[in-house]
């Protein structure tokens, strides 16, 4: 329905809105007092959390008008924003008593007098809204509670949920209007999880049948969750005050939900945060590139040194045990490996519906000052999908301390997922209480359960693990009649038989965008599947046609993980760390899971981890002809896990889980990773308190690391030692002085005071950002640059043609590409640079490069590296003089990139809340920290 017709219909219904509201069940005075506060809650007020900008995500037509005319945001849409932002400048004086300035109470129930609204959307369920608009859902049955979860989640995130389900189903273009970018995104999602309604329902039935009582309860709750969503949709279509104004960006009003939609969202979210591996083609490209330049033997050796499959120096969460996985356990058989022909791209992508459409990544649209509301709505829709498409995968952290190292004697956890920053946030908060379920925390809209949060006497959270659950198979294309196979043939060879690929066509009708003109367009997405998975495209091996397939262990099992998530919140199931681990083992997505109660800490890495042929090279593509098949999956006790670690704590920031773990594409797992920032700060707090930290101390460790620059902490001290004592120009000498002062002070990207315009060490930060990309180019350009794959590599926002051989960013600073995503330092060349500098200083790092690679460093071997480093310093000096318009190094406050953007560096680094709704939020100063974060300490426990 066009926006004008939607508005007209809404206006016609305004007169009946009061009648609709009057007809809703009303709460009694006693119910307004809320449920029992902290009933069955063993945290005693020591569980807290924060989720910026706020819980409310509903902006109706009246709210929109108020915002557009008065710039006043709806209540509860930004009430957690300042708390989150202000910790950056308030953590130095933090105590347990002042944690409430920066975190909200995560106790069960609602404090008397704090109930702001009570709802009864269905018989047997009551919802109490607290002072932050968080719904506390009480169901007389599990089914009633699930209904309430669906109703309230739709109430808070209906439009976002609608976008997510259409994205997961590959039907964005039919929901948001005909568009080349939406068609491309639909096709890309279908390459990940092409589920028909029948296959989705089959997943649900199989899940329910294979898990007994828990499976049946999961299906019942899933069905009732969908019913709750639909109940809200029914009311919203009659009452304009309940309908998000965001639907002006969509084609028509919200449609009813089914369980198919939940499966689609599960596949989408799991595909973003809970996946790992699948980089074999990129690895093969690097190997072939090096062999092409340096010969087969030398190229293969250089590849192994660059691809950190199992770097012995890599920071790990488990430090005292080895868990071997994804490494060959026997002699590699080359016959299992299939290397695509060098520099030959995949073919067979989506067919455009318009001659003007291309497969190139679209850019986000912009608006003129005179844009109409329909144009604004369409830009909003485009921004949503761009934001979701660009969402980083690795963005979370956890600090979990054993009770033997705390003042109280009870474990402490400061942990949470970093899922980027949106308005409204992509997570929503909730508490659910029913006969068999009791949990509070964060949920992905469209799923309903508390995926990250707390139970009665325990809490849990996660970071993305990236374990290898995807392999790229190379299917030999064959011809069933015996002739030459076609370049994009749809038959493949498996165990000696020429088999037909399964061909499915997914069609959608895309009408013109709101406010647009033209006739509806029928989009056709042709998807091909083999027994291994979905065909990503076609290429050749030794000149013969092959199809590349992603074999994902969670494919056709995306809903299965609901069992583990349900068990997390079941007090009858989880009663200690070991029962919690059993629940974690039922989650197929690859996450680092952390647990804390009043006695124990726990860690478990989940995932449906395949057992591979012991002779297969796990970093490279393998043939799909039958010899390299998976041989079952790891048993729970074979997963990385630990209880109450000997070192006294767990730390994770998406770093490597344990020694012996490998995954294809794990280039960043070198001798440093951003997790070392947390470890250093936590150890500092432990020393300061004589091994007796409080909750505030652990928060201080987290927040201190949140403003640190990994390059400044890890690389700059080595660089300064290497250049010490040598002659420099006055300008370069001044640069080195600034870098030394910054590194000594902790290398923070932080203002001295919140109201300052510039960073306290603005010159050093500008120098580091300018220097690192050029330093990397000069150190490794002869090896990896100039004649690469023709792509580009990120260098903190800039790009360098041809330097994309290693599929990893050079320097992942807060301003990389002007993304404003918050998360930084989750992958870069720091480990390589440190190894090179250590070797230049005469040291012998365990992951040092061999002579085969070192002879190609810099301008022509290690002996030329001093000239290369000096050249990088001089180049940075000249660039910064130009960017800042002065030779006074101490006055520099801009890098070339921030100067080109005409922004101060704090503004350039700042966190932006990407619009997933019509009402946005202001940027906040950068901090490298989880989005949803809990601070928990349980002083007691149920009877064990």
């Amino acid at each position: 329905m066009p926006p004008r017709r939607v508005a007209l219909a809404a206006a016609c219904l305004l007169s009946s809105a009061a009648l609709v509201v009057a007809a809703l069940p009303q709460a009694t005075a006693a119910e307004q007092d809320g449920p029992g506060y902290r009933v069955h809650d063993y945290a005693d007020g020591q569980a807290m959390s924060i989720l910026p900008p706020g819980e409310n995500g509903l902006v109706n037509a009246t709210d929109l008008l108020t915002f557009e005319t008065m710039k006043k945001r709806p209540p509860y849409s930004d009430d957690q924003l300042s708390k989150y932002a202000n910790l950056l400048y308030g953590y130095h004086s933090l105590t347990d008593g002042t944690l409430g300035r920066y975190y909200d109470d995560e106790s069960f129930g609602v404090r008397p007098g704090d109930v702001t609204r009570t709802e009864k959307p269905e018989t047997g369920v009551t919802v109490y809204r607290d002072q932050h608009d968080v719904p506390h859902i009480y169901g007389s049955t599990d089914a009633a509670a699930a209904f309430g979860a669906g109703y309230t989640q739709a109430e808070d995130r209906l439009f976002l949920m609608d976008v997510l389900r259409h994205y997961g189903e590959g039907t964005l273009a039919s929901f948001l209007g005909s568009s080349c970018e939406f068609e491309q995104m639909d096709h890309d999602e279908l390459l990940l999880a092409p589920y028909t309604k029948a296959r989705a329902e089959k997943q649900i039935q199989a899940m329910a049948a294979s898990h007994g009582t828990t499976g049946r309860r999961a299906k019942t709750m899933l069905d009732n969750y969908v019913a709750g969503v639909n109940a809200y949709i029914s009311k919203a279509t009659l009452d304009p005050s309940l309908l998000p104004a965001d639907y002006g960006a969509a084609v028509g009003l919200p449609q009813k939900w089914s369980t198919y939609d939940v499966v689609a969202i599960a596949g989408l979210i799991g595909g973003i945060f809970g996946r790992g591996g699948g980089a074999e083609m990129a690895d093969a490209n690097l190997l072939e590139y090096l062999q092409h330049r340096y010969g087969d033997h030398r190229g293969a050796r250089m590849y192994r040194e660059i691809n950190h499959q199992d770097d012995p120096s890599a920071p790990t969460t488990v430090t005292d045990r080895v868990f071997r996985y994804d490494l060959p356990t026997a002699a590699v058989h080359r016959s299992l490996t299939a290397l695509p022909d060098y520099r030959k791209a995949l073919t067979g992508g989506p067919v455009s519906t318009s001659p003007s459409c291309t497969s190139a990544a679209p850019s986000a649209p912009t608006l003129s000052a005179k844009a109409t509301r329909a144009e604004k709505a369409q830009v909003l829709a485009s921004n949503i999908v761009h934001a979701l498409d660009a969402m980083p995968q690795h963005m979370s952290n956890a600090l979990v301390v054993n009770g033997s190292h705390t003042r109280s004697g009870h474990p402490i956890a400061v942990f949470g997922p970093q899922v980027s920053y949106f308005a409204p946030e992509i997570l929503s908060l909730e508490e659910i209480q029913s006969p068999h379920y009791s949990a509070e925390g964060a949920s992905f809209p469209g799923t309903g359960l508390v995926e990250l949060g707390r139970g009665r006497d325990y809490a849990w959270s996660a970071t993305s693990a990236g374990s290898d659950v995807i392999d790229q198979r190379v299917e030999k294309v064959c011809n069933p009649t015996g002739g030459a196979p076609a370049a994009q043939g749809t038959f493949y060879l498996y165990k000696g038989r020429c088999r037909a690929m399964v061909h499915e066509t997914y069609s959608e009708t895309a009408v013109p965008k709101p406010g647009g003109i033209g006739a509806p367009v029928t989009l056709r997405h042709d998807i091909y599947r083999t027994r291994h998975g979905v065909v990503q495209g076609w290429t050749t091996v030794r000149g013969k046609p092959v199809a590349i397939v992603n074999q994902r262990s969670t494919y056709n099992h995306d809903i299965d993980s609901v069992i583990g998530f349900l068990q997390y919140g079941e007090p009858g199931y989880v009663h200690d760390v070991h029962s919690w681990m059993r629940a974690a083992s039922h989650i197929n997505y690859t996450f680092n899971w952390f647990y804390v109660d009043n006695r124990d800490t726990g860690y478990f890495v989940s995932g449906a981890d395949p057992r591979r042929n012991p002779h297969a090279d796990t970093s490279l593509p393998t043939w799909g002809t039958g010899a390299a098949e998976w041989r079952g999956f790891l048993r729970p006790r074979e997963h990385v896990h630990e209880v109450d670690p000997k070192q006294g704590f767990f730390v994770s920031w998406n770093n490597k889980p344990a020694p012996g773990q490998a995954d294809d594409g794990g280039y960043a797992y070198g001798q440093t990773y951003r997790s070392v920032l947390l470890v250093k700060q936590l150890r500092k707090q432990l020393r300061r308190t004589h091994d007796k930290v409080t909750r505030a101390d652990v928060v201080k460790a987290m927040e201190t690391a949140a403003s640190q620059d990994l390059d400044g902490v890890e690389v700059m001290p080595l660089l300064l030692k290497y250049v010490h004592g040598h002659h420099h120009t006055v300008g370069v000498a001044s640069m080195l002085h600034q870098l030394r002062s910054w590194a000594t002070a902790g290398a923070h990207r932080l203002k001295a005071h919140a109201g300052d315009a510039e960073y306290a060490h603005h010159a050093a930060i500008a120098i580091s950002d300018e220097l690192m990309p050029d330093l990397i180019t000069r150190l490794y350009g002869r090896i990896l640059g100039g004649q690469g794959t023709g792509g580009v590599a990120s260098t903190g926002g800039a790009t360098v043609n041809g330097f994309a051989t290693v599929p990893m960013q050079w320097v992942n600073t807060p301003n990389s590409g002007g993304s404003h995503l918050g998360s930084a330092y989750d992958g870069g060349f720091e480990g390589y640079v440190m190894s090179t500098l250590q070797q230049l200083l005469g040291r012998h790092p365990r992951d040092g490069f061999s002579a085969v690679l070192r002879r190609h460093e810099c301008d022509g071997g290690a002996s030329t590296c001093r000239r290369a480093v000096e050249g990088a310093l001089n180049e940075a000096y000249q660039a910064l003089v130009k960017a800042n318009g002065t030779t006074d190094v101490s006055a520099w406050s801009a890098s070339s990139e921030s100067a080109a953007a005409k922004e101060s560096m704090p503004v350039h680094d700042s966190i932006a809340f990407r619009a997933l709704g019509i009402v946005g939020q202001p940027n906040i100063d950068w901090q490298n920290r989880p989005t949803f974060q809990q601070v928990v300490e349980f002083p007691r426990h149920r009877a064990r």
Side-chain angles (χ1 to χ4, degrees), residues 673-927:
Y673 203 78
R674 61 183 178 180
S675 58
V676 302
L677 303 175
L678 293 174
V679 172
K680 289 179 178 180
Q681 294 303 328
L682 182 56
R683 289 192 184 280
K684 183 178 179 180
Q685 292 295 331
L686 288 167
R687 289 193 301 269
R688 185 185 65 80
T689 61
H690 305 288
D691 267 5
K692 299 300 176 184
V693 294
T694 64
R695 285 177 290 148
D697 295 327
V698 183
V699 172
K700 287 178 184 177
M702 178 278 302
E703 191 66 14
T704 304
S707 63
Q708 286 186 298
D709 184 304
L710 183 64
D711 300 308
V713 172
E714 294 284 88
V715 178
M716 291 306 159
L718 289 170
L719 178 66
L720 290 167
K721 284 184 180 180
Y722 180 64
V723 300
H724 180 68
H726 291 84
H727 176 73
H728 302 289
T729 64
V730 173
V732 169
S734 182
M735 285 170 50
L736 297 175
H737 172 73
Q738 293 289 335
L739 289 173
R740 190 172 291 108
S741 298
W742 179 50
T744 302
H748 293 275
R749 301 177 81 99
L750 188 66
K751 302 172 184 175
H753 304 94
D756 291 351
E758 301 293 349
Y759 285 133
H761 289 272
H762 47 81
I765 295 170
I767 293 165
S768 178
D769 284 4
E770 197 75 38
L771 174 63
M772 283 298 294
D774 193 47
L775 179 63
I776 293 167
T777 304
R778 291 172 183 266
L779 292 179
Y780 310 115
R782 287 178 60 90
I783 302 171
L784 301 171
Q787 299 180 34
T789 60
V792 293
S794 175
T795 59
T799 56
V800 177
N801 290 325
F803 209 115
T805 320
V806 177
M808 178 177 66
Q809 290 180 311
W810 283 5
V811 185
N812 182 25
T813 57
N815 53 39
S816 294
S819 60
H820 296 284
L821 290 174
S823 185
Y825 309 112
D826 66 336
F829 273 51
E830 285 87 358
Y832 299 134
V833 176
M834 290 176 69
S835 294
T836 293
L837 290 173
Q838 288 163 349
Q839 289 181 298
L840 291 173
L841 287 165
R843 303 178 189 177
H844 303 282
R846 289 194 296 168
D847 62 353
F849 296 127
S850 69
V852 171
L853 192 147
R854 293 194 72 196
R855 70 168 55 102
H856 298 287
E857 286 181 320
C858 306
D859 294 328
S863 62
T864 67
C865 284
R866 188 167 301 282
R867 183 172 67 247
V869 172
E870 295 294 340
L873 287 166
N874 283 300
E875 182 70 21
Y877 176 79
Q878 296 298 330
L880 290 171
V881 168
K882 181 178 179 181
N884 290 276
T886 178
T887 59
D888 182 358
V889 174
S890 65
W892 291 348
S893 60
S895 65
S896 295
E897 185 177 312
S898 67
K902 297 181 180 180
E903 296 173 334
S904 68
M905 294 199 71
V907 170
H908 199 55
D909 287 356
S910 64
I911 293 171
F913 288 82
R914 297 190 175 199
L916 296 185
I918 288 179
V919 174
Q921 298 291 342
N923 288 16
I924 61 173
D925 283 356
W926 175 74
Q927 48 183 303

Side-chain angles (χ1 to χ4, degrees), residues 456-606:
R456 292 180 175 178
D457 46 19
Y458 59 92
W460 73 93
S461 193
T463 71
S464 295
S467 300
D468 194 354
V469 296
I470 303 174
D471 282 353
Q472 291 193 297
R473 301 292 191 188
V474 180
E475 311 281 19
K476 286 186 177 180
V477 175
C478 56
N479 188 330
T481 64
Q488 294 182 19
T490 58
F491 288 81
Y492 67 105
L493 191 66
Y494 179 71
K495 291 190 175 180
R497 287 180 51 199
C498 190
R499 305 167 186 246
M501 297 178 182
V502 176
H503 177 209
E504 294 176 331
T505 299
Y506 293 79
S507 298
E508 56 178 326
T509 299
V511 302
K513 299 177 183 180
I517 59 174
V521 176
T522 298
L523 308 180
R524 174 188 171 103
H525 304 283
D526 289 303
I527 299 297
Y528 292 88
R529 294 187 290 115
T530 72
R531 71 179 315 277
H532 296 114
V534 184
V535 175
Q536 306 297 300
W538 285 261
T539 184
T540 60
V541 172
R542 297 175 184 171
K544 296 182 178 180
V546 297
I548 306 301
V549 171
N550 282 359
Q551 184 174 11
R552 174 167 64 94
S553 65
T554 53
Y555 177 65
N556 268 333
H557 295 276
D558 281 303
I559 201 65
D560 291 7
S561 294
V562 72
I563 296 297
F565 288 121
L566 178 60
Q567 290 172 335
Y568 274 172
E570 292 187 335
Y573 188 92
V574 174
H575 52 83
D576 61 12
V577 65
H578 300 290
S579 56
W580 169 82
M581 282 188 175
R582 288 194 293 273
S585 70
H586 289 133
I587 295 175
N588 291 334
Y589 297 127
T590 168
F591 288 107
N592 299 297
W593 291 103
F594 296 90
Y595 171 94
V596 62
D597 61 20
N598 74 317
R599 186 173 67 185
D600 294 311
T601 63
Y603 173 50
F604 187 91
V605 181
S606 69

Side-chain angles (χ1 to χ4, degrees), residues 203-218:
Q203 281 192 49
I204 295 171
Q205 296 294 343
M207 175 271 296
S210 60
H211 291 281
T213 301
T214 302
R216 291 190 293 273
R217 183 181 301 130

Side-chain angles (χ1 to χ4, degrees), residues 247-384:
Y247 276 95
V251 181
L253 295 171
Q255 302 299 307
K256 291 296 183 71
W257 275 52
S258 70
T259 52
Y260 169 54
D261 300 305
V262 181
V263 174
I265 290 179
L268 175 66
I269 298 300
I272 293 174
F273 296 107
R275 60 176 298 176
E280 288 89 352
M281 287 289 288
D283 290 349
N285 179 76
L286 173 61
L287 172 61
E288 292 180 301
Y289 164 73
L290 292 170
Q291 289 182 321
H292 182 76
R293 293 191 69 180
Y294 303 108
D296 288 352
H297 177 72
R298 290 179 180 175
R301 182 165 182 176
M302 293 168 76
Y303 166 75
R304 295 299 174 192
E305 294 182 23
I306 293 170
N307 187 354
H308 285 139
Q309 283 290 93
D310 189 22
D311 191 315
S313 301
T316 56
T317 298
V318 170
T319 60
D320 57 346
R321 296 178 63 187
V322 176
F323 291 85
R324 297 206 173 275
Y325 179 67
D326 210 27
L327 290 168
T329 57
V332 171
H333 289 177
R334 294 185 179 181
S335 61
L336 300 177
T337 301
L339 293 180
D341 291 334
Y342 180 53
R343 299 185 71 177
K344 187 165 183 179
L346 293 183
T347 60
V351 177
S352 298
T353 59
S354 167
S356 62
C357 291
T358 67
S359 60
S363 58
T366 58
L367 277 176
S368 68
K370 298 181 179 180
T372 65
R373 180 167 293 183
E375 290 171 333
K376 291 179 180 179
Q378 187 55 33
V379 169
L380 162 66
S382 184
N383 285 342
I384 289 173

